């Protein structure tokens, strides 16, 4: 049996047939296998998931993982990374999970440039709870909770991330697996905060396959370090109106990140704790 034969767990997969989560799982498995070939063992990876259909992905890998509360993947991932900077910490979150409940954490993680990778399974609905609208649902979307359609425009999450100071911003598509693999690998390798917005098919409640297949294209990455170019690329599609949808790495720059690796002095933990407690006794 090869070492990677045990990378995928024996847990029963309960995603709907045709769900884009399968593609994301496949792409991520490939990336982990590539890192193992490069000498980085799977034990160096920790996965953090939120609440939603996406979250089951941690059940399907034999990797260290943590189920967080709704919208709270990033605080957990931040704590793990701060405690052990040598780990590669990857957040899996849904668009409702991350761009609604967790938006404040996302913005500040980008601002701080915390060295984690965030992969958003963006199916643009709350799929686990039968299709309510999310911050990236298009204007007029008719769901279970909004049968007459929503009267608000979606967030352009690319603009939000660029405006928050994210050093790595990308968009992928669950039906373009080669591109998805490459972007995930580059995001994890990036020294600082990295975010991938994955346009994902929800075959049950919001099947955008034909729309995405017609509209997506791979944008040039020749000027990936230019912020103004990234902004223009991010503005090409507003998550609502029809038109070309660029995919790829929009922006990548290196700047100081948290946590900084530094020499940790050996201390008597029990003695230090006692000294702190004695001050307030």
């Amino acid at each position: 049996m090869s070492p990677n034969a045990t990378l995928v767990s024996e847990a029963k997969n309960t995603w709907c047939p045709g769900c884009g989560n399968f593609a994301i799982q496949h792409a991520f498995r490939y990336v982990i296998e590539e890192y193992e070939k490069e000498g980085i063992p799977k034990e160096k990876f920790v996965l953090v998931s939120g609440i939603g259909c996406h979250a089951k992905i941690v059940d399907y890998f034999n990797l260290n993982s943590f189920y967080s509360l709704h919208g709270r993947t990033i605080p957990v991932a931040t704590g793990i990374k701060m405690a052990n900077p040598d780990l590669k910490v990857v957040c899996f979150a849904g668009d409702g999970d991350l761009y609604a409940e967790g938006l404040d954490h996302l913005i500040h993680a980008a601002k701080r440039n915390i060295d984690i990778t965030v992969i958003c399974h963006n199916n643009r609905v709350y799929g686990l709870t039968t299709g309510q609208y999310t911050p990236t649902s298009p204007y007029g979307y008719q769901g279970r909770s909004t049968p007459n359609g929503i009267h608000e425009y979606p967030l352009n999450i690319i603009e939000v991330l660029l405006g928050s100071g994210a050093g790595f911003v990308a968009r992928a598509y669950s039906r373009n697996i080669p591109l998805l693999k490459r972007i995930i690998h580059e995001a994890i390798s990036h020294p600082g905060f990295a975010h991938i917005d994955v346009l994902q098919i929800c075959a049950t409640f919001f099947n955008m396959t034909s729309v995405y297949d017609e509209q997506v294209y791979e944008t040039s990455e020749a000027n990936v370090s230019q912020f103004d170019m990234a902004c223009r690329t991010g503005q090409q599609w507003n998550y609502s109106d029809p038109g070309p949808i660029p995919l790829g790495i929009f922006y990548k720059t290196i700047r100081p990140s948290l946590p900084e690796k530094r020499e940790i002095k050996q201390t008597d933990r029990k003695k230090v704790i006692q000294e702190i407690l004695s001050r307030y006794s």
Side-chain angles (χ1 to χ4, degrees):
M1 180 181 293
S2 67
N4 294 324
T6 59
L7 184 56
V8 175
S9 74
E10 296 181 358
K12 181 180 178 181
N13 195 306
T14 58
W15 287 327
C16 300
C19 178
N21 284 323
F22 288 102
I24 297 173
Q25 179 193 17
H26 171 77
F28 189 73
R29 175 183 179 176
Y30 172 86
V31 170
I32 296 297
E33 290 172 346
E34 285 297 298
Y35 271 109
E36 289 194 294
K37 291 176 184 176
E38 295 168 14
I40 300 176
K42 64 182 181 180
E43 288 77 18
K44 284 290 185 180
F45 288 84
V46 178
L47 313 183
V48 182
S49 71
I51 300 295
C53 296
H54 76 275
K56 300 175 184 178
I57 195 169
V58 302
D59 293 331
Y60 306 146
F61 282 111
N62 285 318
L63 295 170
N64 293 317
S65 60
F66 189 106
Y67 264 110
S68 71
L69 299 175
H70 208 193
R72 304 298 184 260
T73 55
I74 287 176
V76 172
T78 298
I80 293 171
K81 186 68 179 182
M82 295 296 287
N84 190 344
D86 291 327
L87 294 174
K88 293 188 176 296
V89 186
V90 181
C91 292
F92 290 98
D95 49 308
D97 176 58
L98 183 63
Y99 300 155
E101 287 86 347
L103 184 62
D104 53 341
H105 298 299
L106 177 65
I107 289 171
H108 286 283
K111 173 176 169 287
R112 296 181 184 116
N113 199 30
I114 183 75
D115 188 13
I116 61 174
T117 301
V118 179
I119 301 173
C120 183
H121 301 224
N122 190 357
N123 58 20
R124 305 171 70 196
V125 293
Y126 282 99
L128 189 65
T129 50
T130 70
Q132 296 86 351
Y133 79 98
T134 74
T136 54
S137 298
Y139 183 87
Y141 170 76
Q142 293 176 298
R144 294 293 181 90
S145 61
T146 53
N148 295 323
I150 58 173
H151 300 287
E152 58 185 83
Y153 285 92
L155 283 178
N156 184 333
I157 200 63
I158 302 299
E159 289 187 304
V160 171
L161 287 161
L162 289 171
S164 301
F168 185 107
V169 181
R171 180 190 289 135
Y173 174 39
S174 61
R175 284 172 59 84
N176 186 338
I177 294 180
L179 179 65
L180 179 59
K181 290 176 180 176
R182 177 175 68 82
I183 291 177
I184 292 176
H185 194 287
E186 289 197 40
I188 293 173
S189 297
H190 180 74
F193 180 83
H195 184 91
I196 311 169
D197 184 57
V198 184
L199 297 178
Q200 176 209 321
I201 301 303
C202 177
T204 302
F205 295 109
F206 196 41
N207 194 337
M208 295 286 285
T209 303
S210 60
V211 174
Y212 290 155
D213 284 351
E214 292 177 6
Q215 293 182 202
V216 298
Y217 75 96
E218 291 188 37
T219 188
S220 170
E221 297 180 5
N223 300 305
V224 74
S225 64
Q226 296 184 18
F227 182 79
D228 57 343
M229 185 67 73
C231 292
R232 286 197 290 271
T233 304
Q235 290 169 349
Q236 288 181 18
W237 183 58
N238 64 3
Y239 286 79
S240 187
D241 297 334
I245 302 173
L247 305 176
I249 298 171
F250 297 167
Y251 187 60
K252 182 167 66 172
T253 189
I254 306 297
R255 60 187 181 86
S257 65
L258 289 174
E260 297 176 355
K261 290 188 177 181
R262 60 186 65 181
E263 203 69 34
I264 300 175
K265 296 179 180 179
Q266 294 295 322
T267 59
D268 185 336
R269 290 170 58 89
K270 187 174 290 187
K271 181 180 178 181
V272 171
I273 292 171
Q274 288 296 329
E275 289 176 353
I276 293 172
L277 292 176
S278 65
R279 297 174 196 167
Y280 302 98
S281 60

